[in-house]
Amino acid sequence: MGATRETGSDAPGEARFLARLALLAVLGSLLVLVLALGEGGLMVLGAGLLGVVLCAAGVWWFVAHRGLLRVIGALLVFLAPTGVVVLFAYQGLWLTALILVLCWGVALTCARAALRRSRPERPQVATAAARPARPVLIMNPKSGGGKVGRFGLVERAEELGARVILLDPGAPADVAELARRAVADGADLLGVAGGDGTQALVAAVAADHDLPFLVISAGTRNHLAMDLGLDRDDPSRCLDALTDGEELRIDLGDVSGRAFVNTVSFGVYADVVQRPEYRDDKAGTALSLMPDLLVGEGVRRLDSLVDGAPLADQQALLVSNNPYFSPDEISGTGRRPRLDDGELGVLGIRVEDAAQAADLAVRGSQSTGLTVLSAHRVEVTVSGPAEADGPPEAAEDAGTDGPPEAAEDAGTDGPPEVAENAGADPSAEEPGTSGAVEIPVAVDGEALRMPIPVVCTLRPGALRVLVPRDRPGVVAPPPAIDWRRILDLAFGRTVRTAPR
């Protein structure tokens, strides 16, 4: 636990003012309901909640079942919100509903602004960096749909004095070994233009030799680049760090001896990305497999020890290199506000039926189906049937592209034989023991199999990252709403909170 600091009576006046506005907006919405009781105010509230519940149940039936239940689920997803809108219009309640939505919108906006101003972000410390004399950059020409060629990254890097190793998608190579050879030849900086799976392999070599590492946002989604505040639209700007850069110290994840920069996924997602057909038809493959993975006979469940505390029978488990700001944000645009806090983020999901799916939709992070933790060590095993050693036909297909854990070049790097980080030799990097029980694991989106128990840890401050001095920066995610804290701010009460 870190030290605590006083907030509340010492909070800025602007934060207190915004907190009071938020409470006034909440009171305004309650007043609207009271005044509209005779005109259907409760109907507005009840119909809205019912619509959310039915829509969530429909999503569950659509995803977790086949046949008639899937059809019913699809119809509910469409008809529930449509029915709510039609009801409001038919009963003349649309104005009441609109005012309630506006009041809640103002309340949430003011509440988040008050929380942000009362507890400003602690900026990550950047230090001055000398210009590297012998930088070596590994570039994947297929990554991100060909960004290396489209943005002229090879030519630009060579103009700035870097040696470029251009991967050949048709000739698989061990990128970690390429990086180690570059270090032996005198490289004083390693960098990667590619997806996060490739970034992690080379970053581990840089960390082992205490060399700076350059991230070039030439992948598909570039989650690491996003959380470093780099320009994801123009990867050539990342090369500015070679002449005008500064250095950040960030944490590096480790999963049973393999480095990761973003996430390690277990359970449903990891099972889906193992399939060879997932690469060409992601949605179709997921829909065909989900019923068996969620409610099928003998379905595998995950057991884990999170800093020694048990977390049992999860359908999916995601471990991240530093926590995401909110479990609701673990999507393609989810962000980690910091990469140097020295903690793993842990997200467990267990949804067994439509009622639990509705509970998750209504209550969000407060739902019993969602577990959000932080830890220093996570050990994962299985509580259901586990498959014997030996990868399936999809073990070498790392074609993933989706949530933050998706590898940024895996779905775009060419044929399956180079899907392991643009041709990295899986046997050189993937831990495993002959005869051991293995489970599917998605490491930065790469489809792997690892022997249980799979242990995730963190190497705090292990990676030196060189970033351009002039970069877009990290967009602070909106804080999670804490109404108790809003009350404390509004009335000037003193509370003690852990530092960020």
Side-chain angles (χ1 to χ4, degrees):
M1 294 292 292
T4 57
R5 60 186 174 90
E6 296 288 328
T7 62
S9 59
D10 297 328
E14 186 178 3
R16 184 176 295 111
F17 174 72
L18 288 167
R20 290 173 178 173
L21 280 183
L23 293 179
L24 284 175
V26 172
L27 291 175
S29 64
L30 294 176
L31 181 62
V32 170
L33 280 176
V34 171
L35 294 177
L37 281 177
E39 300 179 7
L42 289 180
M43 184 181 292
V44 170
L45 185 62
L49 287 175
L50 181 61
V52 171
V53 169
L54 290 177
C55 192
V59 170
W60 171 258
W61 287 332
F62 180 75
V63 170
H65 296 277
R66 298 186 178 96
L68 181 61
L69 274 180
R70 176 166 285 184
V71 174
I72 293 173
L75 289 173
L76 272 179
V77 171
F78 172 74
L79 292 177
T82 302
V84 171
V85 173
V86 170
L87 175 65
F88 287 170
Y90 181 77
Q91 296 291 338
L93 301 174
W94 64 269
L95 183 59
T96 301
L98 179 61
I99 294 174
L100 284 174
V101 169
L102 289 176
C103 285
W104 270 106
V106 171
L108 294 176
T109 300
C110 291
R112 287 196 169 102
L115 292 170
R116 184 179 288 120
R117 283 163 175 76
S118 69
R119 193 166 55 180
E121 291 290 330
R122 172 170 54 90
Q124 190 164 342
V125 177
T127 58
R131 178 170 179 170
R134 301 186 66 182
V136 175
L137 307 179
I138 298 173
M139 297 191 180
N140 180 358
K142 292 292 186 180
S143 184
K147 287 183 180 178
V148 168
R150 192 159 68 249
F151 288 91
L153 298 182
V154 174
E155 297 77 11
R156 173 64 174 155
E158 291 177 341
E159 288 174 3
L160 296 173
R163 179 166 76 92
V164 176
I165 300 175
L166 192 64
L167 299 175
D168 181 359
D174 182 346
V175 293
E177 180 59 27
L178 291 175
R180 284 189 285 267
R181 290 178 188 172
V183 173
D185 291 339
D188 61 355
L189 175 141
L190 296 174
V192 170
D196 289 331
T198 307
Q199 301 276 359
L201 293 173
V202 180
V205 178
D208 289 342
H209 294 85
D210 197 30
L211 294 178
F213 179 67
L214 178 63
V215 177
I216 304 170
S217 56
T220 302
R221 298 186 182 275
N222 304 296
H223 292 103
L224 178 60
M226 175 177 67
D227 292 334
L228 288 169
L230 301 177
D231 191 329
R232 295 193 296 162
D233 295 324
D234 184 0
S236 66
R237 289 189 60 190
C238 299
L239 295 171
D240 293 343
L242 295 174
T243 56
D244 184 24
E246 56 188 12
E247 195 173 291
L248 302 173
R249 277 273 185 183
I250 69 170
D251 305 330
L252 186 63
D254 181 277
V255 51
S256 294
R258 181 188 176 106
F260 69 95
V261 293
N262 292 328
T263 58
V264 181
S265 299
F266 304 87
V268 173
Y269 174 77
D271 283 318
V272 170
V273 300
Q274 299 284 328
R275 301 302 294 259
E277 61 269 29
Y278 176 80
R279 186 172 164 211
D280 296 322
D281 184 12
K282 295 177 176 60
T285 303
L287 283 175
S288 68
L289 294 176
M290 281 297 185
D292 296 325
L293 295 175
L294 293 174
V295 296
E297 289 294 328
V299 65
R300 181 194 299 119
R301 291 289 185 264
L302 300 164
D303 288 342
S304 61
L305 291 175
V306 182
D307 280 347
L311 178 62
D313 293 330
Q314 301 296 294
Q315 290 165 307
L317 190 70
L318 183 140
V319 180
S320 59
N321 174 7
N322 282 262
Y324 280 84
F325 191 85
S326 165
D328 300 326
E329 299 219 10
I330 297 184
S331 61
T333 58
R335 292 178 182 269
R336 293 164 290 177
R338 301 195 65 81
L339 294 171
D340 62 347
D341 269 345
E343 287 189 319
L344 298 165
V346 182
L347 177 69
I349 300 176
R350 180 181 178 182
V351 179
E352 302 286 356
D353 51 37
Q356 290 184 356
D359 179 68
L360 182 61
V362 173
R363 299 177 62 201
S365 60
Q366 302 302 311
S367 170
T368 56
L370 189 66
T371 302
V372 184
L373 303 167
S374 59
H376 295 94
R377 186 179 190 274
V378 180
E379 181 178 314
V380 182
T381 58
V382 292
S383 55
E387 298 176 25
D389 184 32
E393 68 277 10
E396 293 182 359
D397 179 20
T400 60
D401 185 9
E405 62 270 29
E408 307 317 329
D409 45 15
T412 55
D413 283 352
E417 63 268 17
V418 295
E420 288 284 348
N421 296 307
D425 179 9
S427 63
E429 293 297 328
E430 183 179 349
T433 303
S434 179
V437 174
E438 296 185 339
I439 59 172
V441 183
V443 182
D444 287 328
E446 302 291 343
L448 306 175
R449 298 179 67 83
M450 291 185 172
I452 56 174
V454 181
V455 178
C456 300
T457 56
L458 208 59
R459 298 168 59 185
L463 186 61
R464 300 165 55 193
V465 181
L466 187 69
V467 295
R469 199 178 305 273
D470 179 21
R471 59 188 185 278
V474 178
V475 178
I481 299 298
D482 183 345
W483 288 107
R484 180 176 298 178
R485 181 167 171 76
I486 292 296
L487 287 169
D488 291 333
L489 286 172
F491 294 104
R493 294 199 294 254
T494 300
V495 295
R496 295 178 69 80
T497 60
R500 306 187 76 164

